[in-house]
PDB file of all heavy atoms in Angstrom:
ATOM      1  N   ALA I 234      94.238  34.369 100.370  1.00  0.00           N
ATOM      2  CA  ALA I 234      95.314  34.200 101.345  1.00  0.00           C
ATOM      3  C   ALA I 234      94.975  33.239 102.478  1.00  0.00           C
ATOM      4  O   ALA I 234      95.759  32.347 102.803  1.00  0.00           O
ATOM      5  CB  ALA I 234      95.730  35.551 101.910  1.00  0.00           C
ATOM      6  N   ILE I 235      93.831  33.411 103.104  1.00  0.00           N
ATOM      7  CA  ILE I 235      93.507  32.576 104.267  1.00  0.00           C
ATOM      8  C   ILE I 235      93.473  31.111 103.870  1.00  0.00           C
ATOM      9  O   ILE I 235      94.069  30.263 104.542  1.00  0.00           O
ATOM     10  CB  ILE I 235      92.183  33.037 104.913  1.00  0.00           C
ATOM     11  CG1 ILE I 235      92.373  34.431 105.521  1.00  0.00           C
ATOM     12  CG2 ILE I 235      91.713  32.033 105.963  1.00  0.00           C
ATOM     13  CD1 ILE I 235      91.097  35.076 106.022  1.00  0.00           C
ATOM     14  N   GLU I 236      92.815  30.806 102.774  1.00  0.00           N
ATOM     15  CA  GLU I 236      92.733  29.412 102.315  1.00  0.00           C
ATOM     16  C   GLU I 236      94.114  28.876 101.934  1.00  0.00           C
ATOM     17  O   GLU I 236      94.463  27.735 102.244  1.00  0.00           O
ATOM     18  CB  GLU I 236      91.759  29.286 101.146  1.00  0.00           C
ATOM     19  CG  GLU I 236      91.475  27.857 100.744  1.00  0.00           C
ATOM     20  CD  GLU I 236      90.899  27.004 101.877  1.00  0.00           C
ATOM     21  OE1 GLU I 236      90.098  27.523 102.679  1.00  0.00           O
ATOM     22  OE2 GLU I 236      91.272  25.821 101.961  1.00  0.00           O
ATOM     23  N   ALA I 237      94.925  29.681 101.257  1.00  0.00           N
ATOM     24  CA  ALA I 237      96.267  29.243 100.849  1.00  0.00           C
ATOM     25  C   ALA I 237      97.152  28.953 102.059  1.00  0.00           C
ATOM     26  O   ALA I 237      97.883  27.959 102.082  1.00  0.00           O
ATOM     27  CB  ALA I 237      96.923  30.299  99.960  1.00  0.00           C
ATOM     28  N   VAL I 238      97.081  29.811 103.070  1.00  0.00           N
ATOM     29  CA  VAL I 238      97.889  29.589 104.282  1.00  0.00           C
ATOM     30  C   VAL I 238      97.402  28.355 105.025  1.00  0.00           C
ATOM     31  O   VAL I 238      98.202  27.543 105.494  1.00  0.00           O
ATOM     32  CB  VAL I 238      97.879  30.838 105.187  1.00  0.00           C
ATOM     33  CG1 VAL I 238      98.497  30.532 106.547  1.00  0.00           C
ATOM     34  CG2 VAL I 238      98.623  31.989 104.512  1.00  0.00           C
ATOM     35  N   LYS I 239      96.093  28.177 105.110  1.00  0.00           N
ATOM     36  CA  LYS I 239      95.558  26.973 105.766  1.00  0.00           C
ATOM     37  C   LYS I 239      96.037  25.709 105.051  1.00  0.00           C
ATOM     38  O   LYS I 239      96.453  24.736 105.676  1.00  0.00           O
ATOM     39  CB  LYS I 239      94.033  27.003 105.798  1.00  0.00           C
ATOM     40  CG  LYS I 239      93.476  27.900 106.860  1.00  0.00           C
ATOM     41  CD  LYS I 239      91.957  27.834 106.869  1.00  0.00           C
ATOM     42  CE  LYS I 239      91.392  28.767 107.918  1.00  0.00           C
ATOM     43  NZ  LYS I 239      89.930  28.779 107.912  1.00  0.00           N
ATOM     44  N   GLU I 240      95.963  25.739 103.730  1.00  0.00           N
ATOM     45  CA  GLU I 240      96.390  24.570 102.957  1.00  0.00           C
ATOM     46  C   GLU I 240      97.889  24.319 103.105  1.00  0.00           C
ATOM     47  O   GLU I 240      98.325  23.194 103.319  1.00  0.00           O
ATOM     48  CB  GLU I 240      96.034  24.755 101.486  1.00  0.00           C
ATOM     49  CG  GLU I 240      96.330  23.531 100.637  1.00  0.00           C
ATOM     50  CD  GLU I 240      95.901  23.716  99.195  1.00  0.00           C
ATOM     51  OE1 GLU I 240      94.861  24.358  98.950  1.00  0.00           O
ATOM     52  OE2 GLU I 240      96.617  23.205  98.318  1.00  0.00           O
ATOM     53  N   ALA I 241      98.695  25.369 103.021  1.00  0.00           N
ATOM     54  CA  ALA I 241     100.148  25.219 103.124  1.00  0.00           C
ATOM     55  C   ALA I 241     100.590  24.782 104.518  1.00  0.00           C
ATOM     56  O   ALA I 241     101.621  24.131 104.667  1.00  0.00           O
ATOM     57  CB  ALA I 241     100.838  26.535 102.750  1.00  0.00           C
ATOM     58  N   SER I 242      99.791  25.125 105.534  1.00  0.00           N
ATOM     59  CA  SER I 242     100.169  24.810 106.918  1.00  0.00           C
ATOM     60  C   SER I 242      99.393  23.638 107.495  1.00  0.00           C
ATOM     61  O   SER I 242      99.428  23.405 108.698  1.00  0.00           O
ATOM     62  CB  SER I 242      99.946  26.040 107.798  1.00  0.00           C
ATOM     63  OG  SER I 242      98.556  26.341 107.880  1.00  0.00           O
ATOM     64  N   GLU I 243      98.693  22.913 106.644  1.00  0.00           N
ATOM     65  CA  GLU I 243      97.867  21.790 107.069  1.00  0.00           C
ATOM     66  C   GLU I 243      96.865  22.220 108.142  1.00  0.00           C
ATOM     67  O   GLU I 243      96.639  21.519 109.132  1.00  0.00           O
ATOM     68  CB  GLU I 243      98.740  20.628 107.548  1.00  0.00           C
ATOM     69  CG  GLU I 243      99.635  20.097 106.449  1.00  0.00           C
ATOM     70  CD  GLU I 243     100.603  19.018 106.899  1.00  0.00           C
ATOM     71  OE1 GLU I 243     100.699  18.764 108.116  1.00  0.00           O
ATOM     72  OE2 GLU I 243     101.258  18.440 106.022  1.00  0.00           O
ATOM     73  N   GLY I 244      96.298  23.421 107.936  1.00  0.00           N
ATOM     74  CA  GLY I 244      95.251  23.925 108.809  1.00  0.00           C
ATOM     75  C   GLY I 244      95.719  24.678 110.041  1.00  0.00           C
ATOM     76  O   GLY I 244      94.897  25.204 110.793  1.00  0.00           O
ATOM     77  N   ARG I 245      97.021  24.747 110.275  1.00  0.00           N
ATOM     78  CA  ARG I 245      97.527  25.378 111.502  1.00  0.00           C
ATOM     79  C   ARG I 245      97.571  26.900 111.428  1.00  0.00           C
ATOM     80  O   ARG I 245      97.600  27.561 112.454  1.00  0.00           O
ATOM     81  CB  ARG I 245      98.930  24.867 111.818  1.00  0.00           C
ATOM     82  CG  ARG I 245      98.990  23.409 112.219  1.00  0.00           C
ATOM     83  CD  ARG I 245     100.406  23.015 112.602  1.00  0.00           C
ATOM     84  NE  ARG I 245     101.352  23.282 111.532  1.00  0.00           N
ATOM     85  CZ  ARG I 245     101.666  22.433 110.550  1.00  0.00           C
ATOM     86  NH1 ARG I 245     101.090  21.248 110.513  1.00  0.00           N
ATOM     87  NH2 ARG I 245     102.539  22.756 109.626  1.00  0.00           N
ATOM     88  N   GLY I 246      97.658  27.481 110.265  1.00  0.00           N
ATOM     89  CA  GLY I 246      97.888  28.918 110.128  1.00  0.00           C
ATOM     90  C   GLY I 246      99.382  29.183 110.145  1.00  0.00           C
ATOM     91  O   GLY I 246     100.197  28.294 110.417  1.00  0.00           O
ATOM     92  N   SER I 247      99.755  30.410 109.863  1.00  0.00           N
ATOM     93  CA  SER I 247     101.188  30.720 109.765  1.00  0.00           C
ATOM     94  C   SER I 247     101.837  30.774 111.147  1.00  0.00           C
ATOM     95  O   SER I 247     101.197  31.127 112.137  1.00  0.00           O
ATOM     96  CB  SER I 247     101.391  32.055 109.046  1.00  0.00           C
ATOM     97  OG  SER I 247     100.860  33.109 109.820  1.00  0.00           O
ATOM     98  N   ASP I 248     103.107  30.441 111.192  1.00  0.00           N
ATOM     99  CA  ASP I 248     103.901  30.582 112.419  1.00  0.00           C
ATOM    100  C   ASP I 248     104.315  32.031 112.603  1.00  0.00           C
ATOM    101  O   ASP I 248     104.359  32.542 113.715  1.00  0.00           O
ATOM    102  CB  ASP I 248     105.157  29.711 112.361  1.00  0.00           C
ATOM    103  CG  ASP I 248     104.829  28.234 112.311  1.00  0.00           C
ATOM    104  OD1 ASP I 248     103.853  27.818 112.966  1.00  0.00           O
ATOM    105  OD2 ASP I 248     105.546  27.498 111.616  1.00  0.00           O
ATOM    106  N   VAL I 249     104.631  32.681 111.496  1.00  0.00           N
ATOM    107  CA  VAL I 249     105.015  34.090 111.493  1.00  0.00           C
ATOM    108  C   VAL I 249     104.353  34.741 110.288  1.00  0.00           C
ATOM    109  O   VAL I 249     104.437  34.224 109.179  1.00  0.00           O
ATOM    110  CB  VAL I 249     106.553  34.271 111.375  1.00  0.00           C
ATOM    111  CG1 VAL I 249     106.920  35.747 111.281  1.00  0.00           C
ATOM    112  CG2 VAL I 249     107.271  33.605 112.534  1.00  0.00           C
ATOM    113  N   SER I 250     103.701  35.867 110.528  1.00  0.00           N
ATOM    114  CA  SER I 250     103.142  36.660 109.444  1.00  0.00           C
ATOM    115  C   SER I 250     103.881  37.991 109.445  1.00  0.00           C
ATOM    116  O   SER I 250     104.003  38.629 110.490  1.00  0.00           O
ATOM    117  CB  SER I 250     101.645  36.907 109.639  1.00  0.00           C
ATOM    118  OG  SER I 250     100.918  35.701 109.536  1.00  0.00           O
ATOM    119  N   ILE I 251     104.373  38.388 108.296  1.00  0.00           N
ATOM    120  CA  ILE I 251     105.083  39.653 108.176  1.00  0.00           C
ATOM    121  C   ILE I 251     104.237  40.585 107.320  1.00  0.00           C
ATOM    122  O   ILE I 251     103.982  40.295 106.158  1.00  0.00           O
ATOM    123  CB  ILE I 251     106.481  39.460 107.558  1.00  0.00           C
ATOM    124  CG1 ILE I 251     107.299  38.514 108.443  1.00  0.00           C
ATOM    125  CG2 ILE I 251     107.186  40.808 107.389  1.00  0.00           C
ATOM    126  CD1 ILE I 251     108.620  38.088 107.836  1.00  0.00           C
ATOM    127  N   GLU I 252     103.796  41.681 107.925  1.00  0.00           N
ATOM    128  CA  GLU I 252     102.949  42.632 107.225  1.00  0.00           C
ATOM    129  C   GLU I 252     103.824  43.793 106.767  1.00  0.00           C
ATOM    130  O   GLU I 252     104.337  44.544 107.574  1.00  0.00           O
ATOM    131  CB  GLU I 252     101.843  43.126 108.150  1.00  0.00           C
ATOM    132  CG  GLU I 252     100.668  43.744 107.428  1.00  0.00           C
ATOM    133  CD  GLU I 252     101.011  44.955 106.597  1.00  0.00           C
ATOM    134  OE1 GLU I 252     101.386  45.993 107.160  1.00  0.00           O
ATOM    135  OE2 GLU I 252     100.918  44.857 105.356  1.00  0.00           O
ATOM    136  N   ALA I 253     104.007  43.918 105.456  1.00  0.00           N
ATOM    137  CA  ALA I 253     104.932  44.916 104.917  1.00  0.00           C
ATOM    138  C   ALA I 253     104.247  45.981 104.067  1.00  0.00           C
ATOM    139  O   ALA I 253     104.923  46.853 103.540  1.00  0.00           O
ATOM    140  CB  ALA I 253     106.013  44.214 104.089  1.00  0.00           C
ATOM    141  N   SER I 254     102.933  45.938 103.947  1.00  0.00           N
ATOM    142  CA  SER I 254     102.257  46.863 103.040  1.00  0.00           C
ATOM    143  C   SER I 254     101.987  48.232 103.659  1.00  0.00           C
ATOM    144  O   SER I 254     101.866  49.214 102.943  1.00  0.00           O
ATOM    145  CB  SER I 254     100.925  46.262 102.580  1.00  0.00           C
ATOM    146  OG  SER I 254      99.980  46.254 103.644  1.00  0.00           O
ATOM    147  N   GLY I 255     101.843  48.282 104.956  1.00  0.00           N
ATOM    148  CA  GLY I 255     101.434  49.540 105.583  1.00  0.00           C
ATOM    149  C   GLY I 255      99.959  49.829 105.371  1.00  0.00           C
ATOM    150  O   GLY I 255      99.498  50.937 105.603  1.00  0.00           O
ATOM    151  N   ALA I 256      99.207  48.822 104.949  1.00  0.00           N
ATOM    152  CA  ALA I 256      97.772  48.967 104.713  1.00  0.00           C
ATOM    153  C   ALA I 256      97.005  48.267 105.831  1.00  0.00           C
ATOM    154  O   ALA I 256      97.293  47.104 106.138  1.00  0.00           O
ATOM    155  CB  ALA I 256      97.393  48.360 103.366  1.00  0.00           C
ATOM    156  N   PRO I 257      96.029  48.939 106.447  1.00  0.00           N
ATOM    157  CA  PRO I 257      95.263  48.301 107.519  1.00  0.00           C
ATOM    158  C   PRO I 257      94.669  46.950 107.135  1.00  0.00           C
ATOM    159  O   PRO I 257      94.674  46.016 107.939  1.00  0.00           O
ATOM    160  CB  PRO I 257      94.171  49.332 107.840  1.00  0.00           C
ATOM    161  CG  PRO I 257      94.816  50.641 107.509  1.00  0.00           C
ATOM    162  CD  PRO I 257      95.650  50.347 106.278  1.00  0.00           C
ATOM    163  N   LYS I 258      94.168  46.813 105.902  1.00  0.00           N
ATOM    164  CA  LYS I 258      93.623  45.519 105.474  1.00  0.00           C
ATOM    165  C   LYS I 258      94.706  44.435 105.465  1.00  0.00           C
ATOM    166  O   LYS I 258      94.433  43.273 105.712  1.00  0.00           O
ATOM    167  CB  LYS I 258      92.983  45.631 104.094  1.00  0.00           C
ATOM    168  CG  LYS I 258      91.662  46.360 104.102  1.00  0.00           C
ATOM    169  CD  LYS I 258      91.048  46.384 102.711  1.00  0.00           C
ATOM    170  CE  LYS I 258      89.723  47.096 102.727  1.00  0.00           C
ATOM    171  NZ  LYS I 258      89.083  47.113 101.408  1.00  0.00           N
ATOM    172  N   GLY I 259      95.952  44.832 105.163  1.00  0.00           N
ATOM    173  CA  GLY I 259      97.054  43.879 105.184  1.00  0.00           C
ATOM    174  C   GLY I 259      97.339  43.380 106.590  1.00  0.00           C
ATOM    175  O   GLY I 259      97.602  42.194 106.804  1.00  0.00           O
ATOM    176  N   LEU I 260      97.281  44.278 107.562  1.00  0.00           N
ATOM    177  CA  LEU I 260      97.500  43.872 108.951  1.00  0.00           C
ATOM    178  C   LEU I 260      96.372  42.969 109.430  1.00  0.00           C
ATOM    179  O   LEU I 260      96.610  41.956 110.096  1.00  0.00           O
ATOM    180  CB  LEU I 260      97.629  45.104 109.848  1.00  0.00           C
ATOM    181  CG  LEU I 260      97.895  44.835 111.318  1.00  0.00           C
ATOM    182  CD1 LEU I 260      99.108  43.935 111.531  1.00  0.00           C
ATOM    183  CD2 LEU I 260      98.078  46.158 112.070  1.00  0.00           C
ATOM    184  N   GLN I 261      95.144  43.296 109.063  1.00  0.00           N
ATOM    185  CA  GLN I 261      94.024  42.433 109.435  1.00  0.00           C
ATOM    186  C   GLN I 261      94.191  41.044 108.832  1.00  0.00           C
ATOM    187  O   GLN I 261      93.983  40.034 109.502  1.00  0.00           O
ATOM    188  CB  GLN I 261      92.691  43.042 108.977  1.00  0.00           C
ATOM    189  CG  GLN I 261      91.481  42.240 109.426  1.00  0.00           C
ATOM    190  CD  GLN I 261      91.306  42.280 110.930  1.00  0.00           C
ATOM    191  OE1 GLN I 261      91.140  43.346 111.501  1.00  0.00           O
ATOM    192  NE2 GLN I 261      91.334  41.118 111.571  1.00  0.00           N
ATOM    193  N   LEU I 262      94.604  40.994 107.580  1.00  0.00           N
ATOM    194  CA  LEU I 262      94.797  39.704 106.919  1.00  0.00           C
ATOM    195  C   LEU I 262      95.919  38.909 107.577  1.00  0.00           C
ATOM    196  O   LEU I 262      95.819  37.694 107.752  1.00  0.00           O
ATOM    197  CB  LEU I 262      95.080  39.915 105.429  1.00  0.00           C
ATOM    198  CG  LEU I 262      95.094  38.677 104.559  1.00  0.00           C
ATOM    199  CD1 LEU I 262      93.790  37.885 104.669  1.00  0.00           C
ATOM    200  CD2 LEU I 262      95.353  39.062 103.112  1.00  0.00           C
ATOM    201  N   ALA I 263      96.991  39.578 107.975  1.00  0.00           N
ATOM    202  CA  ALA I 263      98.085  38.891 108.667  1.00  0.00           C
ATOM    203  C   ALA I 263      97.588  38.269 109.971  1.00  0.00           C
ATOM    204  O   ALA I 263      97.933  37.126 110.304  1.00  0.00           O
ATOM    205  CB  ALA I 263      99.235  39.867 108.933  1.00  0.00           C
ATOM    206  N   ILE I 264      96.774  39.002 110.702  1.00  0.00           N
ATOM    207  CA  ILE I 264      96.192  38.463 111.941  1.00  0.00           C
ATOM    208  C   ILE I 264      95.314  37.267 111.626  1.00  0.00           C
ATOM    209  O   ILE I 264      95.401  36.215 112.278  1.00  0.00           O
ATOM    210  CB  ILE I 264      95.402  39.566 112.680  1.00  0.00           C
ATOM    211  CG1 ILE I 264      96.372  40.587 113.273  1.00  0.00           C
ATOM    212  CG2 ILE I 264      94.492  38.977 113.756  1.00  0.00           C
ATOM    213  CD1 ILE I 264      95.707  41.842 113.811  1.00  0.00           C
ATOM    214  N   ASP I 265      94.480  37.388 110.599  1.00  0.00           N
ATOM    215  CA  ASP I 265      93.537  36.324 110.256  1.00  0.00           C
ATOM    216  C   ASP I 265      94.226  35.064 109.737  1.00  0.00           C
ATOM    217  O   ASP I 265      93.667  33.970 109.842  1.00  0.00           O
ATOM    218  CB  ASP I 265      92.533  36.825 109.221  1.00  0.00           C
ATOM    219  CG  ASP I 265      91.637  37.937 109.768  1.00  0.00           C
ATOM    220  OD1 ASP I 265      91.591  38.144 110.999  1.00  0.00           O
ATOM    221  OD2 ASP I 265      90.997  38.622 108.939  1.00  0.00           O
ATOM    222  N   CYS I 266      95.431  35.185 109.183  1.00  0.00           N
ATOM    223  CA  CYS I 266      96.161  34.035 108.646  1.00  0.00           C
ATOM    224  C   CYS I 266      97.037  33.342 109.690  1.00  0.00           C
ATOM    225  O   CYS I 266      97.543  32.247 109.451  1.00  0.00           O
ATOM    226  CB  CYS I 266      97.057  34.466 107.490  1.00  0.00           C
ATOM    227  SG  CYS I 266      96.174  34.847 105.975  1.00  0.00           S
ATOM    228  N   SER I 267      97.241  33.972 110.828  1.00  0.00           N
ATOM    229  CA  SER I 267      98.205  33.478 111.808  1.00  0.00           C
ATOM    230  C   SER I 267      97.636  32.351 112.667  1.00  0.00           C
ATOM    231  O   SER I 267      96.468  32.370 113.048  1.00  0.00           O
ATOM    232  CB  SER I 267      98.662  34.627 112.705  1.00  0.00           C
ATOM    233  OG  SER I 267      99.341  35.591 111.932  1.00  0.00           O
ATOM    234  N   GLY I 268      98.503  31.409 112.984  1.00  0.00           N
ATOM    235  CA  GLY I 268      98.115  30.266 113.790  1.00  0.00           C
ATOM    236  C   GLY I 268      98.321  30.503 115.279  1.00  0.00           C
ATOM    237  O   GLY I 268      98.713  31.592 115.716  1.00  0.00           O
ATOM    238  N   LEU I 269      98.085  29.479 116.050  1.00  0.00           N
ATOM    239  CA  LEU I 269      98.177  29.527 117.500  1.00  0.00           C
ATOM    240  C   LEU I 269      99.544  30.025 117.956  1.00  0.00           C
ATOM    241  O   LEU I 269     100.571  29.503 117.543  1.00  0.00           O
ATOM    242  CB  LEU I 269      97.910  28.127 118.074  1.00  0.00           C
ATOM    243  CG  LEU I 269      97.838  28.010 119.585  1.00  0.00           C
ATOM    244  CD1 LEU I 269      96.675  28.838 120.134  1.00  0.00           C
ATOM    245  CD2 LEU I 269      97.681  26.550 119.977  1.00  0.00           C
ATOM    246  N   GLU I 270      99.540  31.061 118.789  1.00  0.00           N
ATOM    247  CA  GLU I 270     100.734  31.667 119.377  1.00  0.00           C
ATOM    248  C   GLU I 270     101.755  32.141 118.334  1.00  0.00           C
ATOM    249  O   GLU I 270     102.954  32.152 118.576  1.00  0.00           O
ATOM    250  CB  GLU I 270     101.374  30.732 120.401  1.00  0.00           C
ATOM    251  CG  GLU I 270     100.452  30.467 121.578  1.00  0.00           C
ATOM    252  CD  GLU I 270     101.070  29.648 122.683  1.00  0.00           C
ATOM    253  OE1 GLU I 270     102.176  29.104 122.503  1.00  0.00           O
ATOM    254  OE2 GLU I 270     100.428  29.534 123.738  1.00  0.00           O
ATOM    255  N   ALA I 271     101.266  32.554 117.198  1.00  0.00           N
ATOM    256  CA  ALA I 271     102.128  33.047 116.121  1.00  0.00           C
ATOM    257  C   ALA I 271     102.535  34.491 116.382  1.00  0.00           C
ATOM    258  O   ALA I 271     101.923  35.202 117.176  1.00  0.00           O
ATOM    259  CB  ALA I 271     101.396  32.950 114.784  1.00  0.00           C
ATOM    260  N   ASP I 272     103.579  34.907 115.698  1.00  0.00           N
ATOM    261  CA  ASP I 272     104.015  36.298 115.715  1.00  0.00           C
ATOM    262  C   ASP I 272     103.498  36.989 114.463  1.00  0.00           C
ATOM    263  O   ASP I 272     103.586  36.440 113.361  1.00  0.00           O
ATOM    264  CB  ASP I 272     105.546  36.401 115.710  1.00  0.00           C
ATOM    265  CG  ASP I 272     106.171  35.964 117.021  1.00  0.00           C
ATOM    266  OD1 ASP I 272     105.478  36.001 118.056  1.00  0.00           O
ATOM    267  OD2 ASP I 272     107.352  35.595 117.013  1.00  0.00           O
ATOM    268  N   VAL I 273     102.979  38.200 114.639  1.00  0.00           N
ATOM    269  CA  VAL I 273     102.601  39.055 113.525  1.00  0.00           C
ATOM    270  C   VAL I 273     103.574  40.229 113.576  1.00  0.00           C
ATOM    271  O   VAL I 273     103.499  41.069 114.465  1.00  0.00           O
ATOM    272  CB  VAL I 273     101.141  39.551 113.634  1.00  0.00           C
ATOM    273  CG1 VAL I 273     100.803  40.482 112.479  1.00  0.00           C
ATOM    274  CG2 VAL I 273     100.182  38.357 113.677  1.00  0.00           C
ATOM    275  N   CYS I 274     104.515  40.235 112.657  1.00  0.00           N
ATOM    276  CA  CYS I 274     105.555  41.259 112.634  1.00  0.00           C
ATOM    277  C   CYS I 274     105.160  42.360 111.653  1.00  0.00           C
ATOM    278  O   CYS I 274     104.911  42.087 110.480  1.00  0.00           O
ATOM    279  CB  CYS I 274     106.894  40.640 112.232  1.00  0.00           C
ATOM    280  SG  CYS I 274     108.248  41.820 112.265  1.00  0.00           S
ATOM    281  N   VAL I 275     105.109  43.581 112.154  1.00  0.00           N
ATOM    282  CA  VAL I 275     104.691  44.715 111.338  1.00  0.00           C
ATOM    283  C   VAL I 275     105.927  45.486 110.902  1.00  0.00           C
ATOM    284  O   VAL I 275     106.592  46.118 111.714  1.00  0.00           O
ATOM    285  CB  VAL I 275     103.727  45.636 112.114  1.00  0.00           C
ATOM    286  CG1 VAL I 275     103.278  46.799 111.240  1.00  0.00           C
ATOM    287  CG2 VAL I 275     102.532  44.839 112.616  1.00  0.00           C
ATOM    288  N   VAL I 276     106.255  45.392 109.609  1.00  0.00           N
ATOM    289  CA  VAL I 276     107.370  46.159 109.056  1.00  0.00           C
ATOM    290  C   VAL I 276     106.873  47.281 108.162  1.00  0.00           C
ATOM    291  O   VAL I 276     107.622  48.181 107.824  1.00  0.00           O
ATOM    292  CB  VAL I 276     108.391  45.261 108.310  1.00  0.00           C
ATOM    293  CG1 VAL I 276     108.957  44.212 109.244  1.00  0.00           C
ATOM    294  CG2 VAL I 276     107.777  44.614 107.085  1.00  0.00           C
TER     295      VAL I 276
END
C-alpha cells in the first residue's frame, strides 16, 4: 500500500485516506499512506 500510494501520488501521499476495516492495522496504514495535511476518515 505505501509504495502504491507514493507511486500513484508522485510521492505526495494520499489527500484523503478512508479507513473502513475497523482494524487497528488498517488505521495505522491509512495514517502512514497520508500526505501533508491530509484527512484520515474513519468509517
Side-chain angles (χ1 to χ4, degrees):
I235 293 172
E236 188 58 37
V238 170
K239 282 182 181 177
E240 185 177 324
S242 66
E243 298 175 352
R245 292 184 303 271
S247 66
D248 296 324
V249 176
S250 293
I251 300 172
E252 199 299 293
S254 71
K258 286 183 179 181
L260 181 54
Q261 184 67 60
L262 189 56
I264 289 170
D265 295 346
C266 287
S267 296
L269 185 63
E270 297 185 351
D272 289 337
V273 178
C274 183
V275 181
V276 301

